[in-house]
Amino acid sequence: MSAVEIAAAVRSGERTAVDVVDEHLAAIAARDGDIHAFNLVTADEARAAALAIDRRVAAGEDPGPLAGVPVALKDNLCTAGIPTTCSSRILEGWRPPYDATVVERLAAAGAIAIGKTNLDEFAMGSSTENSAFGPTRNPHDLTRVPGGSSGGSAAAVAAGFAPLALGSDTGGSIRQPAALCGVVGMKPTYGAVSRYGLVAFASSLDQIGPFAASVADAAALYEAIAGHDPRDATSIPRPAARVSEGLGQGVGGLRVGIVSELLGAEGIEPDVAARAREAAEALESAGAKVDEVSVPSVVYGLSAYYLIAPAEASSNLARYDGVRFGLRVDAPTTGEMYDRTRTAGFGAEVKRRIMLGTYALSAGYYDAFYGKAQRVRTLILRDFQAAYERFDVLLSPASPSTAFKLGAKSADPLTMYLNDVCTIPSNLSGDPAISVPFGTGADGLPIGVQVLAPSLGEETLFRVAAALEAAAPAA
Ligand code: GLN
């Protein structure tokens, strides 16, 4: 059953939320030992919440549009009183005193949080192998990665552990694992979804977004979490776009541009480029006008991102000092205590980012690295704006390859970074984008096609995604 169907059945009293939750907990118990999508399954809290939903239905109330639907939460979203680890030792033992806005909104919509999902430590990575608690495995093939950093959330949906999940996307961490796990994953316009209670990685790039097995379910989840939040200063002061209503409208007359630079980008496998071209043809058959478009500066996205994101991360992660959150390794002086805590608490990739970021921001290098990267960011934004004068949406692969083997890219950070070459540009520009499953590679594994839209273009984005889903070859 889809999330939309579960909610309808629970609201009408046809199914109980307790039954729905128990069914998903049983699926988790049967298979998560092998997959490790979850850092923590909150079974008792989920059953209690389900019972409360069922009581409200029995009392004739409407518990909301996502009544009784289990949702898996990436473990960098704050949950009051429930451990939030970012898959890092440094947060060991920390229980947030408050819920993230998205967590509050889900509860208000009747959804049921079922657990916290594994991620690359502090969302830094593309395979979920950088977790301090061990990797997540791809439900389609347990010898392969689910992608990352929201690999646990993507795997949870792909394995049927939850119909819906939330992730965060700083450079592709929703769309890339969605592509590798054969599910839908969407990054909203920067500021469309509140970041309040999302543990910060790179604040000018981070966005929370939905995972689901279908575009309609992803749209329903987006509607539940989006909209203005006064507790996030970067939140856009307007209500959530009603993206579900237009899903069936088709793409007749829409102008679709396939981004040349991303079809030929470094490391894009031929199967992946072929599926993106087929997706463009499918949209053309459905009535869209399709053409190739050049967005020249996107090729510099990866380089700019790996200066900007680590720079912001080095600043954001300065707060983990052994005093305020989680782990503390005692030492004779405060300075040594900081040192020992951070040495013991952070993993290798996080340390690499902190060093890169600190270097890029240091006096004498700031203009050469951080300043230049910011100028490239502006160029990318302008190139996208120019493309959107001629096209309603753009199309590209989501990830350069299908799911790769565990360990295949972990020795070489640069190879790992290349996974996000297609997704990073829209984080730099702040525009929305979505990955939709579209066929498989020669290896039989899922491939995702990315649809990109201009800022606040969510309605068109979801509409095109729905058309692609309808035209997709069976996986
Ligand atoms: N893989 C990218 C990185 O490692 C993006 C991560 C993300 O979107 N959180 O930074």
Side-chain angles (χ1 to χ4, degrees), residues 399-453:
S399 155
S401 70
T402 55
F404 45 93
K405 296 269 185 191
L406 272 101
K409 301 190 182 185
S410 28
D412 178 6
L414 192 59
T415 315
M416 190 67 91
Y417 295 173
L418 282 169
N419 278 296
D420 295 303
V421 63
C422 297
T423 47
I424 277 172
S426 51
N427 295 85
L428 291 168
S429 65
D431 299 333
I434 190 167
S435 175
V436 182
F438 199 89
T440 54
D443 49 15
L445 292 164
I447 285 177
V449 168
Q450 179 176 227
V451 185
L452 304 102

Side-chain angles (χ1 to χ4, degrees), residues 198-465:
L198 166 67
V199 178
F201 163 11
S203 310
S204 78
L205 302 159
D206 299 339
Q207 270 292 286
I208 299 166
F211 283 98
S214 70
V215 173
D217 278 1
L221 180 52
Y222 174 81
E223 286 175 346
I225 60 170
H228 183 237
D229 177 13
R231 293 181 296 186
D232 172 1
T234 61
S235 168
I236 299 171
R238 55 149 85 190
R242 307 307 304 166
V243 291
S244 293
E245 283 152 27
L247 287 183
Q249 276 174 16
V251 291
L254 283 185
R255 299 159 306 167
V256 178
I258 180 152
V259 183
S260 329
E261 287 81 3
L262 295 181
L263 278 181
E266 192 177 346
I268 306 280
E269 287 179 355
D271 295 6
V272 170
R275 291 299 96 77
R277 286 188 196 281
E278 285 162 27
E281 285 159 19
L283 291 177
E284 192 154 40
S285 308
K289 291 195 204 88
V290 180
D291 212 343
E292 276 210 20
V293 58
S294 171
V295 187
S297 59
V298 292
V299 297
Y300 305 114
L302 196 76
S303 311
Y305 173 89
Y306 276 99
L307 288 164
I308 295 169
E312 294 187 23
S314 69
S315 166
N316 274 326
L317 272 56
R319 73 190 63 174
Y320 306 106
D321 55 5
V323 177
R324 288 169 284 191
F325 307 93
L327 184 76
R328 174 184 196 129
V329 181
D330 280 316
T333 69
T334 309
E336 279 171 83
M337 186 278 288
Y338 292 161
D339 197 339
R340 285 191 200 171
T341 299
R342 290 169 65 86
T343 301
F346 289 135
E349 183 60 27
V350 174
K351 286 175 182 157
R352 181 179 298 120
R353 305 279 178 115
I354 292 172
M355 285 191 280
L356 280 171
T358 306
Y359 184 78
L361 290 176
S362 51
Y365 295 107
Y366 184 96
D367 280 338
F369 295 122
Y370 183 74
K372 195 173 235 169
Q374 290 290 22
R375 287 195 286 280
V376 171
R377 186 174 189 174
T378 303
L379 284 181
I380 291 173
L381 185 74
R382 288 196 190 139
D383 278 1
F384 272 130
Q385 282 168 346
Y388 289 126
E389 278 169 22
R390 294 172 45 221
F391 295 94
D392 298 296
V393 295
L394 303 178
L395 213 63
S396 84
S399 155
S401 70
T402 55
F404 45 93
K405 296 269 185 191
L406 272 101
K409 301 190 182 185
S410 28
D412 178 6
L414 192 59
T415 315
M416 190 67 91
Y417 295 173
L418 282 169
N419 278 296
D420 295 303
V421 63
C422 297
T423 47
I424 277 172
S426 51
N427 295 85
L428 291 168
S429 65
D431 299 333
I434 190 167
S435 175
V436 182
F438 199 89
T440 54
D443 49 15
L445 292 164
I447 285 177
V449 168
Q450 179 176 227
V451 185
L452 304 102
S455 182
L456 295 172
E458 267 85 350
E459 286 173 52
T460 317
L461 184 81
F462 273 103
R463 189 171 137 203
V464 175

Side-chain angles (χ1 to χ4, degrees), residues 60-80:
E61 291 171 38
D62 181 359
L66 294 178
V69 181
V71 184
L73 302 172
K74 187 175 183 177
D75 203 10
N76 61 354
L77 294 167
C78 288
T79 39

Side-chain angles (χ1 to χ4, degrees), residues 74 123-126 148-149 168-173 201 305-306 353 420:
K74 187 175 183 177
M124 297 173 187
S126 303
S149 65
S168 64
D169 191 311
T170 305
S173 279
F201 163 11
Y305 173 89
Y306 276 99
R353 305 279 178 115
D420 295 303

Side-chain angles (χ1 to χ4, degrees), residues 1 6 35 86 92 248 385 389 398 462:
M1 268 177 124
I6 289 173
I35 294 172
C86 294
E92 223 155 59
Q385 282 168 346
E389 278 169 22
F462 273 103

